[in-house]
Amino acid sequence: MAVPDSGYPYGLKLMINDYPYAIVGLEIWAAIETWVTEYYSFYYPSDETVKNDTEIQSWWSEKRTMVAGDEHISHLTQAYTIIIWIASAFHVAVNFRQYLYIGYLPNRPTVSHRFMPEPGTKEYDKLENNPDLAFLKTITAQFQTLLGVSLIEVLSMHATDEIYLGQRDTAEWTIDDEPLATFERFGKKLVEIDSRIMETNNDIKLKNRVGSMKVPYTLLYPNTSDYSREGGLTGKGIPNSISI
């Protein structure tokens, strides 16, 4: 969906210009990468400091798949950026909007009870003449539907004590001024992305942002400025990490 091209933001040219997940995802990835790089550059100002940290070396030896000697700070920050991305934004993209779509089970039945009928049979004629009725006869029974929808609802809910990316539940997480300032810049960047998503959603030329059902794109909306702890099926917000 993208090809390397230094003439485009983040060095990638998207094959689809109006591709909300990719556009917003690249912005969030870059914000995470900047935050991680600045944070670790404070505590590990050189490759030598990384090599001399026995705990980092032990972790790297356990996790790495690269050739021996890849102990540079750039590799360390890249690894942590990937971990934070997967446990926050990537998880949001595949989880929290499930109920919006699957809450109406015919959109995505959890099981089909019949095989596709063979051409020339009575079942095939029924499918051809009334496909909606034939489809409804295959999907999940009522009890299993209730179980499935209930599970999807729980999975799609934000907790009332959710801490979003760029937020902290305590201001005393470090006493060092530079990491505090770095984290503040990270939070401000995510708030900017919040605003940009909403502005772009109002652009009527971008059809993939809202769609025919007029549902605005908030899949990767960080919600960093929200401290209301409302929770529920909000359809927006990137938690700091997954809980499953």
Side-chain angles (χ1 to χ4, degrees), residues 80-136:
Y80 281 122
T81 299
I82 292 171
I83 291 170
I84 294 172
W85 165 263
I86 292 175
S88 59
F90 180 77
H91 176 257
V92 164
V94 298
N95 180 70
F96 282 102
R97 290 296 289 271
Q98 290 185 88
Y99 186 77
L100 181 67
Y101 182 70
I102 308 174
Y104 178 62
L105 201 79
N107 278 338
R108 188 185 180 279
T110 54
V111 67
S112 178
H113 292 285
R114 298 186 182 188
F115 291 111
M116 190 71 179
E118 296 289 340
T121 62
K122 290 182 178 179
E123 288 76 12
Y124 189 87
D125 291 339
K126 292 178 181 178
L127 172 64
E128 197 169 37
N129 295 326
N130 194 339
D132 292 339
L133 180 60
F135 169 69
L136 289 173

Side-chain angles (χ1 to χ4, degrees), residues 40-101:
Y40 280 102
S41 293
F42 177 79
Y43 293 106
Y44 299 97
S46 68
D47 293 341
E48 197 63 32
T49 57
V50 175
K51 294 177 181 179
N52 292 334
D53 189 309
T54 56
E55 292 185 358
I56 287 289
Q57 289 304 311
S58 177
W59 173 82
W60 188 253
S61 296
E62 180 183 350
K63 300 299 182 184
R64 70 182 177 184
T65 56
M66 305 179 191
V67 297
D70 283 342
E71 302 157 326
H72 304 296
I73 192 169
S74 60
H75 297 138
L76 184 65
T77 55
Q78 184 73 2
Y80 281 122
T81 299
I82 292 171
I83 291 170
I84 294 172
W85 165 263
I86 292 175
S88 59
F90 180 77
H91 176 257
V92 164
V94 298
N95 180 70
F96 282 102
R97 290 296 289 271
Q98 290 185 88
Y99 186 77
L100 181 67
Y101 182 70

Side-chain angles (χ1 to χ4, degrees), residues 52-236:
N52 292 334
D53 189 309
T54 56
E55 292 185 358
I56 287 289
Q57 289 304 311
S58 177
W59 173 82
W60 188 253
S61 296
E62 180 183 350
K63 300 299 182 184
R64 70 182 177 184
T65 56
M66 305 179 191
V67 297
D70 283 342
E71 302 157 326
H72 304 296
I73 192 169
S74 60
H75 297 138
L76 184 65
T77 55
Q78 184 73 2
Y80 281 122
T81 299
I82 292 171
I83 291 170
I84 294 172
W85 165 263
I86 292 175
S88 59
F90 180 77
H91 176 257
V92 164
V94 298
N95 180 70
F96 282 102
R97 290 296 289 271
Q98 290 185 88
Y99 186 77
L100 181 67
Y101 182 70
I102 308 174
Y104 178 62
L105 201 79
N107 278 338
R108 188 185 180 279
T110 54
V111 67
S112 178
H113 292 285
R114 298 186 182 188
F115 291 111
M116 190 71 179
E118 296 289 340
T121 62
K122 290 182 178 179
E123 288 76 12
Y124 189 87
D125 291 339
K126 292 178 181 178
L127 172 64
E128 197 169 37
N129 295 326
N130 194 339
D132 292 339
L133 180 60
F135 169 69
L136 289 173
K137 287 183 177 181
T138 71
I139 64 174
T140 321
Q142 185 180 47
F143 179 69
Q144 285 76 20
T145 294
L146 290 173
L147 288 178
V149 170
S150 298
L151 174 61
I152 294 301
E153 182 179 12
V154 171
L155 289 173
S156 300
M157 278 192 173
H158 285 280
T160 53
D161 59 350
E162 205 90 88
I163 306 297
Y164 294 118
L165 199 64
Q167 296 180 348
R168 291 281 184 175
D169 56 352
T170 173
E172 294 79 27
W173 61 273
T174 181
I175 60 173
D176 296 320
D177 291 337
E178 182 55 35
L180 286 170
T182 295
F183 187 74
E184 184 178 358
R185 290 194 294 271
F186 176 52
K188 288 180 178 179
K189 182 63 178 178
L190 293 171
V191 172
E192 290 175 12
I193 294 173
D194 281 352
S195 300
R196 194 150 47 246
I197 289 173
M198 302 313 291
E199 290 172 4
T200 312
N201 285 347
N202 293 326
D203 189 339
I204 60 174
K205 298 189 298 296
L206 302 176
K207 304 297 183 183
N208 294 340
R209 286 283 174 167
V210 176
S212 58
M213 298 305 295
K214 306 302 180 185
V215 178
Y217 178 83
T218 57
L219 191 58
L220 283 177
Y221 184 87
N223 212 27
T224 303
S225 61
D226 182 16
Y227 284 85
S228 67
R229 304 293 183 254
E230 178 183 357
L233 294 168
T234 62
K236 61 183 179 181

